[in-house]
Amino acid sequence: MTYAPMQPPLRVGIVGSGFVAKLRADILTQDPRTEVMAIAGTLAKATAIAQELQIPHVHQYWSEMVIRDDIDLVVVCNVNRDHSAVVRQAMRSGKHVIVEYPLAFTYSEAQELINLAQQQNLMLHVEHIELLGGVHQLVLENLSKIGNPFYARYVTKSPQRPVPDKWTYKSDLFGFPLTAAVSRINRITALFGKVQQVSCQLRDDSDRDHSFKSCICNAQLQFENGVLADISYAKGENFWQAERTMELQGSDGAIIFTGDRGKLITADGEIELDAGTTRGLFKKDTEIVLEHLLSTGDRPLYNSHDLILHSIAVANAAEKSATTHQMIALPDFSLS
């Protein structure tokens, strides 16, 4: 897609007042190609960020901010439930958009937003910084060395005691766990393509106000190319040891990561793989987006709309499977 030419500084509005919003604001206020004009969020938090970073305008309501005439780019970092509504209004107001995953809770909403971006000739970038990280890059670099892959496993467990009184532990705001954490699916589908069938199990302790203290969600994916994958996402008070593991098994070897340290195992022996730190990935994501916009779309983004859509389709199938206790076959969503 080619956009209308834009000259720096790009004028930015930020929706959200939590950790990621503050991180984005820090990065953008230090970049000479951008000028952060406004922030919308919880009033006390948004005001504090604005005062620290000298952002001139603060809004309590994002619906007021995204229609401002002095904004070119909206960065969406608020609660998951509202992502699709903010993105829709921002693009209808003629703004380019960066949004943290998930783009939307459902495939149909996500497809509608992508269609709107194309109709309006606007950038819609969904952040998936795990694709920029050292683990994913080392997997891509070494995947051919393990022959024909046939099995993948990706597990993240995050103990937290006590759980905070935050939206990330309220299911109506956070969403189905593998939709909220769709990056886990996105990383695997980026490697192996289209998923054919999904089975999923969910256990949480949600109460009447949708709050929960722990959840675990396990999904089994069967890919069209024959690869089988297990994805597990868990967090909260009922877990006692953190874990972040990625395992790929192939006919000629395996790649196994625990955290950012891994190894390539083949018949010739083991090679250590060090993915380094994850620090700086949001800055890298931001720089890619700015180069994309200021080159009027000539410099590509790192994540495709087709991959984003397919990952959400898989998450929706996982949610249906967890609800019905059945294996779910995916519709014929395209992956280019």
Side-chain angles (χ1 to χ4, degrees), residues 128-134 136-137 281-282 284-285 288 302:
H128 275 281
I129 58 171
E130 75 285 346
L131 299 181
L132 300 174
H136 190 75
Q137 295 303 311
L281 292 182
F282 274 105
K284 188 173 183 180
D285 171 270
I288 290 170
Y302 63 86

Side-chain angles (χ1 to χ4, degrees), residues 260-277:
D260 295 319
R261 301 298 296 269
K263 52 189 175 182
L264 169 66
I265 306 170
T266 66
D268 296 328
E270 297 185 6
I271 299 174
E272 297 293 322
L273 303 174
D274 186 353
T277 178

